Amino acid sequence: MLPEHHDLLSWVCTDDFGTRHATLFDPADQSPEEAALKAQVVIEAGSRMILIGGSTNTPEEKVHSMVEAVQEAIELRLWATTQDTVEDEDYWRVPVILFPGGAHALSASADGILFMMLMNSRNPKFIVGEQIRGATWLHESEVEMLPTGYIICEPGGKVGEIGEASLLSTEEEIRSHAICAKGFGMNIFYLEAGSGASSPAPPELIRAANSTENCLFVGGGIRSAEQAKAAKDAGASWIVTGTIVEEQEDMNELRQTLSELISGLN
Ligand code: 1GP
């Protein structure tokens, strides 16, 4: 659901709300119903963007069903706020954005797509090939393309392997990728340590990624308020978490765990 009175890219990139939290749902790991239920809980806990996608070869139908189920759940909650003078309607205007593993993982029901170049891949398919394959369809479907430079640092995990990335590990490498992304006109830069990473990207690498002061997404291995705060202090605009939400089956515990983590951003 698009935020009112804003175009999506400027809403994503604005500094007005401080560092925000996004939740990633991988359609390979959970059902659309489960994601729709959890999406409501994570938004209640303070998450401000839902990302849908992953690095595996998930078929388009699965991605689309999940996007639809999550959109529907959010719309219902938004509708409920219109019946209630106390709840703020804007609170439920949370966009559902594709975080694609390739041109096979798209849905016209999404509000936008992180249109990513995996800059440190050794395979041209992930740098620009999949993007060309999906471009015409995206253009016609009106899913807003959010230009994103995506890099994977150590340890990198599954996305590093599947994306055939030469994992980055130094501040200098990361800074030059950030500057290159800016030169290409990418508004968003995304530093990824890999889903389920044993530790998140260290603050010095996040600071290097922030050298151009682009809108900076940081994800992979973030599990605590302290880690979220460290990423925020190093310059992250968005903190992305997936595994902690995926692992949690109890909705009350999920709300509490995520509220605690997001409290690190305040
Ligand atoms: C998104 O890969 C992250 O960038 C998600 O990582 O699953 O470790 O939270 P986690």
Side-chain angles (χ1 to χ4, degrees):
M1 178 62 60
L2 285 173
E4 228 178 7
H5 312 307
H6 288 276
D7 74 89
L8 184 60
L9 185 60
S10 36
W11 180 87
V12 170
C13 293
T14 182
D15 290 334
D16 289 357
F17 308 107
T19 304
R20 287 172 282 174
H21 179 270
T23 301
L24 172 65
F25 291 104
D26 187 341
D29 298 337
Q30 56 220 302
S31 69
E33 295 72 27
E34 204 179 335
L37 179 63
K38 286 185 173 179
Q40 297 174 64
V41 176
V42 301
I43 294 169
E44 287 166 5
S47 202
R48 301 309 297 150
M49 179 190 290
I50 303 296
L51 290 170
I52 294 185
S55 45
T56 42
N57 246 348
T58 315
E60 192 161 295
E61 307 80 69
K62 267 194 160 185
V63 175
H64 184 60
S65 313
M66 184 174 279
V67 171
E68 294 243 287
V70 170
Q71 289 283 36
E72 214 169 282
I74 295 177
E75 269 164 38
L76 272 175
R77 295 299 295 262
L78 177 64
W79 178 83
T81 62
T82 62
Q83 310 300 302
D84 175 341
T85 47
V86 182
E87 256 205 293
D88 177 13
E89 207 181 307
D90 263 2
Y91 191 79
W92 285 92
R93 293 191 180 278
V94 173
V96 178
I97 311 275
L98 297 168
F99 180 73
H104 55 273
L106 306 176
S107 162
S109 300
D111 296 304
I113 177 170
L114 291 183
F115 193 67
M116 308 188 294
M117 172 191 282
L118 174 42
M119 301 178 75
N120 58 320
S121 177
R122 295 181 300 278
N123 188 339
K125 160 183 155 142
F126 296 111
I127 301 172
V128 77
E130 287 296 303
Q131 296 79 340
I132 291 170
R133 222 157 63 79
T136 305
W137 186 90
L138 280 167
H139 183 66
E140 286 165 4
S141 71
E142 292 181 18
V143 173
E144 187 172 338
M145 289 149 95
L146 306 168
T148 305
Y150 184 60
I151 56 165
I152 306 175
C153 68
E154 287 177 346
K158 197 158 78 180
V159 67
E161 273 169 44
I162 293 178
E164 298 174 52
S166 300
L167 300 177
L168 304 178
S169 58
T170 70
E171 293 165 59
E172 205 184 322
E173 286 170 331
I174 290 181
R175 188 173 302 115
S176 59
H177 280 74
I179 295 168
C180 177
K182 188 170 182 145
F184 272 123
M186 293 159 173
N187 310 67
I188 298 169
F189 192 58
Y190 195 133
L191 176 62
E192 172 73 78
S195 183
S198 51
S199 56
E204 59 275 17
L205 296 193
I206 299 174
R207 269 192 291 276
N210 191 38
S211 27
T212 61
E213 293 181 4
N214 257 358
C215 174
L216 177 63
F217 281 57
V218 175
I222 299 174
R223 295 177 155 272
S224 69
E226 292 68 35
Q227 290 168 331
K229 183 177 179 336
K232 170 197 162 164
D233 291 346
S237 315
W238 286 90
I239 307 291
V240 185
T241 64
T243 304
I244 51 162
V245 173
E246 212 167 90
E247 282 173 353
Q248 191 54 260
E249 292 309 326
D250 182 300
M251 294 305 126
N252 287 327
E253 278 182 36
L254 172 59
R255 191 178 296 102
Q256 196 179 335
T257 311
L258 209 64
S259 301
E260 263 168 40
L261 185 142
I262 294 173
S263 72
L265 304 178
N266 299 324

